[in-house]
Amino acid sequence: MGSNGDSDDIDWSDDEVRTCSSVSSVSVHIPVFTPPTCESSTSGSKINNRFLEMGYPSRVVLKAMEEHGEDDEEAILNAILTYLGQNKYFETMNLLEDMGFQYDEAFTAINRCGLETPIEELVEFIDAAKMGKEDDLQDLQVELNDAGQSRNGKKQKLSREERWTDTGKRMPLMIGFGVPNVGIKTIHREIPDAGKGPPYFYYENVAYTPKGVWENMSRFLYEIEPEFVDSMHFSAAARKRGYIHNLPIDERFPILPIPPSTIQEALPITNKWWPKWDLRTKLNCILIRHGSAEDTKKIKEELDKSGPDPPEHVRKNVLEQCRKYNFVWVGKNKVAPLDLDEIEVIMEFSKCHTRGGGISTTARYQCLGNSFQVDTVAYHLSVLKKLFPSGINVLSLFSGLGGAEVALHRLGIPLKFVVSVESSETCRNILQSWWEQSNQQGTLINIFDVRDVTLGKLKELMDMSHGFDLVIGGSPCNNLAGRNRYTRDGIYGDQSSLFFDYFRILDLVKKITVYRGYG
DNA sequence: ACAAGTATGACGTTTAGC
DNA sequence: GCTAAACGTCATACTTGT
């Protein structure tokens, strides 16, 4: 934590790590889906443009505006969602759940049978799926029903709080302080004074770390309780991440249109070849490496050998491999790893975000596997739109592909001044070319190494920008991630210890902000 | 040939929740 | 005890450019 010989005009004596009582009481209520609220606007063409920017087909937008006038944005959005079948989706989900089916059952049924399938057939599908899973699933069902009735002495649907894997295992839902459509928690949370902005900050890392890591990080980050969210609630792939931030959590909204949230919707070309006995509707976490060609070959050979109705042990083995390597079905008995453009879209970057400019395939897989899932982060950042209508100054640490920048841009928050700190030249190039292509009007400054972000450098940057509104970043997870067999050393590991630079820089920005009266 | 960059097979353990 | 998942690392072979 050297201050590089800067002449200090602030008291930089080492802070004790703050000990604040972090209190948060949680209450839960379960609303049905409501479309995101939109500010009222004065001109119809403005609204039109906004919906078009959101990516809705112009024909649909025009039709909605014809029927609902030009000013009632909420009614127009509602109509668009109806035309696109999204309202129907939520209605059907709610109906099935009201009938007593679990979230995942309803989810799978709709996504396997299609939205237009009559409700009776969906019910049949679910029942049939259950029969196919034999005794263990029946036992599970009994167990779930029992649990559903006994919890808190009140009948309660477990599906809102928990989900089941396609093998029937119960998993935590990981919805943090709420996600769209699944069930929104109403939460009152107190942020300890030391953690309050300005600046706002947002820190991200993998949810499953060695024991004690999140407690440790939380202790540094002002005792703020982490929010754990699985991006499966925003996209077709799981991504269990923890976020420590001091953002408000009321009135969050997702970026629109809501992207496909199942494998079947996101990768429709796989439907034709997807076997009935592969019940996956969600991909596992997208990693930095893809599965091997050798493994896909073995799967094909094994299935070709066992004929049209493979025996249980073959299915089990194939499914195990598919889950492990995130294989999808691309031909008869033929699985393949995800393509790069498929990953780009699932992470909610645009197609070709990482393509070209001399970047190798391996490097693309790597930086995409390291990235934010944009919808998830955008949902959390959406509260900034109201707070910074004229634009935002961002210090983006460990920027990578620019997930934070893309999220803010997609939310329609102008990027006035962005300092991006990123050690990979490849990633800096990708962010730089996105910046140019997306027609940014603000300033982008690239810095190579977080260690170069000293007190003096920060003062210089904050003089230029009049302070930072948001400090955002996810520090390296190498030494935390479960897949690491060699150097899962925890927060003090070679790469993951850069967390402390995140903290150092954030804390310096806080102090400069107070001292100079920014914000 | 050689170096540098790229692709790929092989490789357990620690979480968490029953 | 069980199952399931996990922003990965290392060594080596291959490819590309000079």
Side-chain angles (χ1 to χ4, degrees):
Chain A
M1 278 222 196
S3 56
N4 271 14
D6 288 304
S7 63
D8 289 352
D9 44 12
I10 306 177
D11 176 15
W12 300 110
S13 59
D14 261 359
D15 290 276
E16 296 278 308
V17 173
R18 292 142 189 80
T19 49
C20 308
S21 56
S22 73
V23 187
S24 69
S25 55
V26 177
S27 61
V28 181
H29 81 104
I30 302 165
V32 293
F33 172 79
T34 48
T37 53
C38 301
E39 319 130 17
S40 60
S41 157
T42 47
S43 115
S45 69
K46 238 188 212 167
I47 293 184
N48 185 18
N49 287 339
R50 268 196 49 190
F51 284 124
L52 293 180
E53 274 172 24
M54 289 170 182
Y56 293 119
S58 56
R59 231 183 262 181
V60 177
V61 174
L62 288 174
K63 182 160 187 270
M65 291 182 74
E66 259 173 39
E67 289 185 16
H68 295 273
E70 299 201 330
D71 291 323
D72 189 345
E73 201 162 337
E74 199 171 324
I76 298 168
L77 179 60
N78 223 353
I80 294 173
L81 291 174
T82 303
Y83 301 147
L84 295 178
Q86 290 177 4
N87 274 358
K88 171 130 199 215
Y89 182 86
F90 298 121
E91 278 167 19
T92 312
M93 279 297 287
N94 283 330
L95 188 56
L96 285 169
E97 288 195 80
D98 287 344
M99 293 168 80
F101 294 112
Q102 308 300 341
Y103 177 79
D104 264 21
E105 293 172 343
F107 199 72
T108 306
I110 294 174
N111 293 312
R112 295 302 295 275
C113 303
L115 199 52
E116 299 308 318
T117 312
I119 197 83
E120 312 84 64
E121 280 180 38
L122 292 174
V123 171
E124 263 175 43
F125 176 89
I126 297 174
D127 286 341
K130 279 186 199 165
M131 294 305 225
K133 281 194 172 183
E134 300 170 340
D135 298 343
D136 55 336
L137 200 127
Q138 280 174 19
D139 291 347
L140 181 74
Q141 200 56 42
V142 170
E143 180 198 321
L144 297 182
N145 290 338
D146 289 350
Q149 283 166 13
S150 62
R151 190 175 292 194
N152 297 330
K154 244 164 82 180
K155 182 160 180 161
Q156 193 178 349
K157 277 185 278 185
L158 295 185
S159 57
R160 298 292 191 172
E161 293 169 29
E162 296 169 304
R163 63 177 280 266
W164 286 266
T165 65
D166 47 80
T167 50
K169 199 166 170 54
R170 199 182 301 179
M171 299 289 284
L173 255 185
M174 260 207 198
I175 63 174
F177 303 141
V179 297
N181 311 337
V182 172
I184 297 162
K185 289 185 174 185
T186 302
I187 289 175
H188 170 71
R189 75 162 187 161
E190 295 280 339
I191 295 171
D193 284 344
K196 287 178 181 160
Y200 287 112
F201 77 89
Y202 188 84
Y203 174 79
E204 179 260 11
N205 216 317
V206 293
Y208 293 151
T209 63
K211 272 183 183 161
V213 168
W214 275 103
E215 286 81 351
N216 203 356
M217 295 193 295
S218 170
R219 214 170 300 138
F220 276 88
L221 297 175
Y222 317 104
E223 299 273 348
I224 293 173
E225 186 192 345
E227 169 169 22
F228 292 103
V229 181
D230 190 336
S231 293
M232 66 164 298
H233 300 297
F234 292 87
S235 73
R239 204 167 184 79
K240 295 170 186 62
R241 295 293 180 269
Y243 305 89
I244 297 179
H245 63 84
N246 61 353
L247 295 164
I249 56 174
D250 297 324
E251 298 183 58
R252 289 169 163 181
F253 58 89
I255 49 177
L256 295 174
I258 303 286
S261 65
T262 63
I263 306 171
Q264 287 71 26
E265 291 171 299
L267 309 170
I269 55 156
T270 66
N271 289 340
K272 185 174 173 191
W273 306 107
W274 206 275
K276 285 200 175 63
W277 43 269
D278 183 350
L279 294 176
R280 289 178 299 158
T281 59
K282 294 284 188 182
L283 294 160
N284 277 336
C285 186
I286 288 167
L287 308 172
I288 63 169
R289 287 281 305 273
H290 60 75
S292 73
E294 202 54 34
D295 285 323
T296 64
K297 192 175 150 198
K298 277 184 202 153
I299 286 175
K300 178 145 176 39
E301 283 167 1
E302 196 178 0
L303 287 174
D304 283 346
K305 214 163 51 187
S306 59
D309 200 20
E312 188 58 32
H313 70 277
V314 173
R315 295 180 184 187
K316 189 164 177 264
N317 179 45
V318 169
L319 284 173
E320 211 169 274
Q321 301 279 309
C322 286
R323 279 197 294 263
K324 187 169 172 192
Y325 296 114
N326 255 342
F327 288 144
V328 293
W329 299 92
V330 294
K332 183 171 189 292
N333 295 340
K334 212 166 67 154
V335 293
L338 293 169
D339 269 343
L340 283 156
D341 56 347
E342 292 168 340
I343 295 178
E344 285 170 334
V345 171
I346 290 169
M347 301 294 269
E348 193 64 15
F349 292 93
S350 51
K351 233 179 193 181
C352 302
H353 184 82
T354 63
R355 191 178 181 187
I359 181 171
S360 72
T361 303
T362 318
R364 289 178 72 193
Y365 275 107
Q366 166 142 6
C367 56
L368 280 162
N370 279 323
S371 173
F372 284 173
Q373 203 284 326
V374 171
D375 299 276
T376 312
V377 172
Y379 186 64
H380 296 156
L381 299 181
S382 61
V383 297
L384 294 170
K385 184 161 187 177
K386 211 162 69 179
L387 296 165
F388 300 99
S390 63
I392 193 166
N393 296 340
V394 183
L395 177 55
S396 166
L397 304 174
F398 314 103
S399 308
L401 296 179
E405 290 81 353
V406 172
L408 290 164
H409 178 66
R410 294 286 304 278
L411 287 163
I413 303 172
L415 297 165
K416 277 198 303 197
F417 186 85
V418 175
V419 175
S420 159
V421 186
E422 171 55 53
S423 62
S424 154
E425 189 189 359
T426 304
C427 288
R428 285 200 308 276
N429 289 341
I430 290 169
L431 177 55
Q432 182 69 46
S433 61
W434 171 82
W435 187 268
E436 286 156 19
Q437 282 163 34
S438 59
N439 229 344
Q440 296 296 326
Q441 302 302 302
T443 306
L444 173 65
I445 292 174
N446 284 295
I447 294 176
F448 171 75
D449 191 337
V450 281
R451 289 157 213 236
D452 295 333
V453 184
T454 58
L455 171 62
K457 187 75 189 167
L458 282 169
K459 284 199 275 194
E460 182 192 325
L461 293 166
M462 290 170 74
D463 278 344
M464 291 167 71
S465 64
H466 298 283
F468 290 112
D469 305 310
L470 175 67
V471 178
I472 185 167
S475 59
C477 68
N478 306 37
N479 312 116
L480 310 178
R483 291 302 285 261
N484 188 343
R485 302 174 183 206
Y486 300 98
T487 54
R488 199 184 186 191
D489 301 331
I491 194 66
Y492 299 104
D494 281 353
Q495 291 84 31
S496 294
S497 56
L498 287 170
F499 160 78
F500 297 105
D501 280 277
Y502 178 92
F503 165 71
R504 173 182 64 82
I505 291 166
L506 170 61
D507 214 47
L508 286 173
V509 170
K510 279 173 104 68
K511 284 172 178 161
I512 298 170
T513 302
V514 170
Y515 186 78
R516 298 263 163 107
Y518 296 131

